[in-house]
Each structure stands twice: as C-alpha cells, then as structure tokens.
Amino acid sequence: MLTQSATLATNERIQALRASGVPVTHLAFGEAGLPVAPEIAAALAAAAGRNSYGPTAGLPELRAAAAGYFDRRGLPTAPGQVVAGPGSKPLLHALLSVLPGDVVLPRPSWVSYAAQASLLGKEVVWVPVPEGSGGVPDPALLGPALAAARARGLRPGVLVLTLPDNPTGALAGAGTIRAVCEIAAEHGLMVISDEIYRDLAHEPGSVLSPAEIIPERTVVTTGLSKATALGGWRLGVCRLPNAGLTAALIGVASEIWSNPSTPVQVAAAYVLAEPEPVRAFVAAGLGLHRAVVRAAYETVLAAGAGCPAPGGGFYLYPALEAARGHAGSAGDRGTAGRGTGLGGGQGGVDSAVDLAELLLTRYRIGVLPGSAFGDDPRGLRFRLATSLLYGDTDEQRWTALRSTDPARLPWIAEALARLGTAVAELTGKGHGDLR
Ligand SMILES: Cc1ncc(COP(=O)(O)O)c(C=O)c1O
C-alpha cells in the first residue's frame, strides 16, 4: 500500500498542530504561498457558467495559449502537441503509464515520481545528482547506472528531470543538461522535463530545456501551481513530441479525468497568453521567492550548514551532518512533545527522519527529511520551502509581494531568525544574530 505523500501528510500534520495552538514555522510544504491575482480570479469567475464537459486534451483556446507560451520559451509548438490535465501530477502519472520501461530518477527528486512509478509496477533506477546541484543525474554516473540496471534485468525507459529542481532548489547548468541528454539519447531513453518552476528561475532565461536538445524524445510538463500560485485550481499542461504519444496520453486521460475543469481551463488560457497583469504578477512573485530563499540560504550557511546554491523556486536542501548524535536535552525532549501531539525524539539523531523530527519537536520548525525524496535515509539532509512564510493572511501576502526587501518584514525575518538559531545550535555554531 502507498501511504499518503510525505509533503501532503506533513502539511496536514503541521496544520493540525497550528490549529491546536502550537506555533510551528511551516517550511515543509511547496505551496507557492501567494494570493490570487484579481485579473485571473475574474477570468475564472466569468467562466463559472461553463458546465459542459469539454475535449479530453483541453479546450482549443487553452491548447493554443499553451503553444504560444512554449513558443515564447524557444520551443516552437503546435496546439495539437499540447494536452492539459487536472494538475501536472496526474499528467506525469499518465505519461509514465504510456511511456514504456523503468524510470530513471535523480536522487533526490520530487516525492511523487518514484511513488507513481511504483503504482505502475515500474522499478526506479536512482542516480545521484552532481555535487552541489540537483534535478538531473550526475552525467558521470548515469551511463554506468543504466548499464548496471540492465545487468539486473531492468529496462530503463524514461528519465525524469526537474528544471529548476524540487527538492534541492538548484538549477542544473547547460553543460550538464547537454551531457545528460546525450547519454539519454545513446541509451534510447525518453525524457520528461518537469519545468513547473521554469518561470521562477532566479536568473530569467537561465533554463535550458532538453526539448531544445533532443526534441524528438522530450516531453515538457508545466502548470499553474507555482509561478501563478494556483495549485488548488489543479491545472497542468504538457508538450508532446509526437502524435502517437499524444494519442496514447489522451486515451488514458479520457478514462481517468475526462477533461480538466472547464472554467479553470478558461482562466488558464488567460494566464498562458501572459497578458501584462499576469506578467507583472509572476515577476513580483519571482522577486519575492528569490529574495526570501536567498536570505534563508545565507542564514543556513552562516549557521554552519552545507547547501546547494538556489537557482530557482523557493526550496533549499541543507545538509546538517554536524547534528549527528544530537539528542537535545532530556528536559527538552521530555516537555517539547507533551500534550501537543508533537511526539518526542527517542535517541540521538542518526537519520534524516530523526533530524526532521528534532526540528519539529524541539524547534517547532517543520521540514521534510531528504529520505522523502529518495535520498539516503542516513544522510542528514532536509528540504525546506520558504513560500509559506509570506504571511497567514492575504493582506500580509500582498505586502510581501509589494515589498522591496521582503526578508526584512517582521513575520519573515522572525521565521528566518528561528531557523538560523536552530541550525546554529545543531551545528555547534551557537546563537547570536545570524542574519
Ligand atoms: C517538481 C514538481 N512537479 C510537479 C508538481 C505538481 O504540480 P501540480 O500542482 O501541477 O500537480 C510539483 C508540486 O509540488 C512539483 O514540485
């Protein structure tokens, strides 16, 4: 049995703690944390009366708008190459179901790829990411890993890349992506390039898509959940390289979701056409994500953690080897969890889960252990997302979006200071103003 996805389960646990009055700094969930742009809300509201089912692949106006979106990113696209779904997550699952072979994943990588492979009875071939990067396998390790997998009787068929990456927050460089694509082509792999964070690359234009290098074997996925912060609206699109794959995907979609919500598709067509209000909203969001995640990066580095440099989105993936064996004081462990539903640590920190538990129970900081992303369970790495720090109310979130120095807003600065204090205590760098 598959248990609930670690990201969703931890989010619900932290929400329940907060609802019961326990103040937790929530860095565990990859929701974009922004309000809805009023122009996009108006586009959705205007389409509320559209209650008919629609074409499985998506409304013609949405497919045309998505084609234009990809065109503007250097990926010439015909509307017939686009299929829309209720989020990119189900699209990824459907794609993995129609693309033959086992699934090759960077280690670590986003929680759902491996879970979806397992739902489909496929094996995962894990390949470590390059030191200090993420979202792609280390090109030096990819060929040997594929050969070893074949020797074990596996049939590697699909490679999934995340550009920019979740969980590491890194963006792989062009040279690495070219090398990985070359190896993928040599080995006959199809590539799924998950580009849901593309428009949140910290340097605009810095994403090289595999679809520019090996277009005939690359599927690109994206959606509305990150740059326009509409995760709960559930809308994703993908760009397919050939008509056979498009037809196969539409076949699966037709039996599972029929079509994405029609009013949401109308709003998505508006978003993907990128009129000025949408471009301004996305630019403001990018500025906010970049400023706060960079401030968090400096905070964890100053506190003695290792961490890949952020290249896009709102994630960091710190390594805290110095925390190994850390037990906290008996008093802390005895009282932190009592009556709060927080639980309490049983022994010294020896795994990613222990570390995440200690951060939650002792410091009231919610993060996800690296092992949730397929990483070595004994490695003391965790993923943090800074996107839920922007505020608990829309008023705070708009203030953050409009701020020229959001990391200094009191509710964000305080959360970062708490993070710095916790990390510094665990690395032995002591307290003090780390920011
Ligand atoms: C790398 C990655 N891919 C896909 C998704 C799924 O997004 P959607 O809301 O489009 O299903 C997420 C969401 O967290 C993600 O981080």
Side-chain angles (χ1 to χ4, degrees):
M1 191 193 81
L2 214 55
T3 52
Q4 188 185 17
S5 182
T7 50
L8 300 174
T10 305
N11 180 49
E12 288 176 21
R13 181 179 173 202
I14 293 172
Q15 299 290 7
L17 283 168
R18 290 178 134 192
S20 69
V22 181
V24 177
T25 302
H26 191 353
L27 305 176
F29 195 43
E31 182 156 280
L34 305 179
V36 180
E39 297 82 359
I40 305 176
L44 178 68
R50 294 190 55 177
N51 60 346
S52 293
Y53 289 103
T56 300
L59 294 174
E61 61 263 42
L62 170 57
R63 297 175 88 191
Y69 168 92
F70 287 121
D71 281 343
R72 289 189 293 280
R73 282 151 186 81
L75 302 174
T77 306
Q81 282 176 267
V82 174
V83 173
S88 59
K89 193 189 243 188
L91 280 173
L92 287 162
H93 180 256
L95 284 164
L96 291 177
S97 80
V98 296
L99 290 168
D102 294 312
V103 181
V104 185
L105 295 180
R107 168 175 254 153
S109 52
W110 181 52
V111 287
S112 293
Y113 307 134
Q116 293 183 349
S118 135
L119 277 174
L120 294 164
K122 295 181 179 227
E123 297 289 332
V124 172
V125 179
W126 293 103
V127 188
V129 298
E131 183 73 29
S133 186
V136 295
D138 187 330
L141 304 177
L142 179 56
L146 293 172
R150 281 212 190 80
R152 285 192 288 134
L154 303 187
R155 288 189 316 119
V158 195
L159 167 65
V160 186
L161 309 178
T162 318
L163 305 166
D165 186 37
N166 172 13
T168 62
L171 172 60
T176 307
I177 294 169
R178 283 186 201 286
V180 165
C181 286
E182 204 170 293
I183 299 164
E186 264 166 35
H187 288 262
L189 302 180
M190 290 295 289
V191 171
I192 297 177
S193 183
D194 181 342
E195 299 179 13
I196 197 159
Y197 297 98
R198 170 194 264 269
D199 297 335
L200 300 181
H202 295 169
E203 299 303 330
S206 58
V207 177
L208 173 63
S209 176
E212 290 180 59
I213 307 166
I214 44 170
E216 68 291 349
R217 46 180 72 251
T218 302
V219 182
V220 179
T221 62
T222 186
L224 302 193
S225 302
K226 307 303 173 183
T228 41
L230 298 169
W233 288 15
R234 310 308 301 128
L235 198 288
V237 293
C238 64
R239 174 190 186 272
L240 296 139
N242 63 65
L245 188 53
T246 307
L249 181 62
I250 290 173
V252 173
S254 71
E255 301 298 1
I256 299 189
W257 61 78
S258 299
N259 62 261
S261 155
T262 302
V264 172
Q265 288 191 71
V266 175
Y270 171 75
V271 167
L272 292 173
E274 300 180 283
E276 173 49 29
V278 171
R279 278 187 277 130
F281 182 81
V282 171
L286 167 59
L288 173 60
H289 296 312
R290 185 174 45 202
V292 177
V293 85
R294 283 189 180 168
Y297 175 63
E298 282 158 23
T299 299
V300 297
L301 286 193
C307 190
F314 35 74
Y315 302 108
L316 293 178
Y317 198 64
L320 223 53
E321 190 49 42
R324 194 172 301 279
H326 203 288
S329 74
D332 287 334
R333 277 190 292 128
T335 56
R338 194 177 298 153
T340 63
L342 282 166
Q346 295 303 309
V349 169
D350 197 29
S351 70
V353 168
D354 292 345
L355 178 59
E357 278 299 311
L358 182 67
L359 283 166
L360 183 59
T361 56
R362 178 149 185 216
Y363 300 100
R364 309 273 167 95
I365 294 175
V367 299
L368 283 175
S371 48
F373 303 92
D375 213 344
D376 178 359
R378 285 191 40 106
L380 299 188
R381 290 178 282 275
F382 61 93
R383 189 204 71 175
L384 63 85
T386 48
S387 48
L388 290 184
L389 299 181
Y390 306 150
D392 292 331
T393 62
D394 272 358
E395 195 188 336
Q396 280 184 325
R397 295 183 190 112
W398 279 116
T399 304
L401 255 182
R402 290 175 179 138
S403 168
T404 50
D405 194 1
R408 295 206 177 271
L409 290 170
W411 57 94
I412 298 177
E414 273 163 31
L416 294 178
R418 268 197 300 281
L419 173 68
T421 302
V423 172
E425 204 172 298
L426 292 172
T427 59
K429 274 216 161 185
H431 298 274
D433 182 10
L434 292 153
R435 295 201 58 250

